[in-house]
Amino acid sequence: MGGTVTAVSSNGQYSFSKPNRESVTLLAGLGVEGDVHAGETVRHRSRVAQDPTRPNLRQVHLIHEELFAEVGEAGFDVGPGELGENITTRGVDLLGLPVGTLLRLGGEAVVELTGLRNPCRQIDAFRQGLLKRVVGRDEDGNVVRRAGVMGVVRTGGVVRPGDAVGVELPDGPHRPLDRV
């Protein structure tokens, strides 16, 4: 089970989108070097306002490139980095992986998945109506989040477009990803 990194993005300032880079460096226990969301404790503004001492379980944001094609069919032009993700992948069912899955990115870096991104209304400020495409409800009325996954860096390293993505599932029983 595996795929490919198609883009990497980072931004040292708070903004919704992140510019694409030739590479990013993941730092163990911190996140993406130079990215505004890197740190041991929470960095997302809403989380900092609640409790700035909580551990940062959202050091790295990953999105599957296939999402861009899906929303594109509905008329939304979205590309890598534009939804604020650090790493864009292809060929990995990120949303279907359990908590604790290890993603091996390139030759060294390892990210442990902690949960699903909880999309906010900033997505509609970026493209009006897009939020409904990345958050919805299933037949039973449960919220379904599709705007990527979050993780923490277990082993640092440089990640580039074209790098392989290896998937290592945790020992069972598996817990599905939930909002983090």
Side-chain angles (χ1 to χ4, degrees), residues 1-3 6 14 19-20 40 52 55 60 68 85-86 89 106 108 110 124-125 155 160 175:
M1 192 181 342
T6 60
Y14 281 106
N20 295 155
E40 291 179 7
V60 181
F68 303 146
E85 77 277 9
N86 301 110
T89 66
E108 300 173 349
V110 178
D124 271 349
T155 305
R160 296 176 177 82
R175 282 187 310 130

Side-chain angles (χ1 to χ4, degrees), residues 73-92:
E73 290 175 10
F76 294 96
D77 182 24
V78 180
E82 291 186 327
L83 295 181
E85 77 277 9
N86 301 110
I87 299 174
T88 309
T89 66
R90 181 180 336 127
V92 178

